[in-house]
Amino acid sequence: MPDLTTRTLVWLTYRLGAAIALGLPLVLLIWSGMKREPALMRLLGIYWKVASLLAISVLLLTDQRPIGYVTAFLAPLLMAASLWFWVDLNEELADSPPGRALPMTVRIWRWALTFFAVFAAVMSASALGCMRQLEAQSCRIWLEAPQGLHRVVERVFDFVFGGEWTMAVAAFIGYVALVAYAVGLLQWALVRLPRQGRVAGDF
């Protein structure tokens, strides 16, 4: 695949992620809070907990850490699963009166996020080989957006706090957050899932 085509697809993945996986669910979370829709707020709250793996991936890829390619592959799949897994939330969403703007928008977004997740996972799977070939040109394309974002954060951090935000610091925070994420996921899988099953409850 030519580098130009690869770069276009990679940047399309990042831009779709910014819009569908970050921007729109943030709007929906605020909207559901204003409308006081507890089921939708719970669904979106779970989504944001799961989607934090995407931010962790960006932190790790900022400093070219190989595990960042793995988390970038897993993140969209877990994000899509978090929207469809819960029986009680699915039923509440399905039982909402037809024609209501917020539930209908959430349904549309849920499908859009699912299609994006498949596309992003396929794209990220093609980059898993970068774990062994860090210096390959096709792999550097995946680092352009995280490192570009890092430069923006670096300037803001220096202006606000007068401190230094380095790639190594970003990677360290990414590793710490990944450990916390893994512990939380294991705790849910080993304790909450056997007890509550696919009922979100107060997750």
Side-chain angles (χ1 to χ4, degrees):
M1 189 184 299
D3 284 346
L4 182 59
T5 303
T6 303
R7 177 173 281 105
T8 300
L9 290 175
V10 169
W11 275 96
L12 177 62
T13 304
Y14 280 122
R15 286 169 178 147
L16 287 175
I20 299 175
L22 299 178
L24 189 51
L26 180 59
V27 171
L28 291 173
L29 181 62
I30 296 171
W31 189 2
S32 61
M34 294 173 60
K35 292 291 185 179
R36 298 185 179 179
E37 294 277 0
L40 298 183
M41 289 181 65
R42 200 155 70 251
L43 177 65
L44 288 160
I46 293 170
Y47 169 81
W48 277 108
K49 290 177 183 178
V50 175
S52 62
L53 187 60
L54 199 61
I56 293 171
S57 302
V58 171
L59 288 171
L60 294 170
L61 289 175
T62 294
D63 200 32
Q64 205 170 347
R65 304 294 172 144
I67 196 172
Y69 293 102
V70 178
T71 56
F73 168 70
L74 294 175
L77 298 177
L78 292 175
M79 289 156 57
S82 72
L83 295 179
W84 297 95
F85 183 78
W86 312 103
V87 173
D88 54 335
L89 298 183
N90 287 339
E91 289 177 351
E92 290 194 48
L93 188 59
D95 291 342
S96 60
R100 290 185 59 202
L102 178 55
M104 183 174 63
T105 305
V106 170
R107 291 190 195 101
I108 294 171
W109 166 70
R110 192 163 64 163
W111 279 108
L113 190 282
T114 302
F115 288 123
F116 161 75
V118 173
F119 172 71
V122 170
M123 289 297 300
S124 298
S126 69
L128 289 176
C130 295
M131 296 177 66
R132 298 184 302 273
Q133 301 174 346
L134 296 176
E135 300 302 322
Q137 180 61 35
S138 59
C139 298
R140 290 186 172 277
I141 296 172
W142 284 95
L143 307 177
E144 291 177 358
Q147 292 179 352
L149 179 61
H150 168 79
R151 286 189 289 271
V152 174
V153 173
E154 187 178 33
R155 288 193 291 269
V156 172
F157 194 84
D158 180 60
F159 176 78
V160 175
F161 300 105
E164 188 175 2
W165 175 265
T166 66
M167 292 183 179
V169 170
F172 174 76
I173 293 176
Y175 276 123
V176 172
L178 181 59
V179 170
Y181 189 96
V183 170
L185 188 60
L186 284 173
Q187 188 269 342
W188 171 79
L190 298 177
V191 179
R192 297 180 65 97
L193 181 60
R195 188 174 65 224
Q196 295 183 225
R198 294 178 59 193
V199 176
D202 59 349
F203 185 96

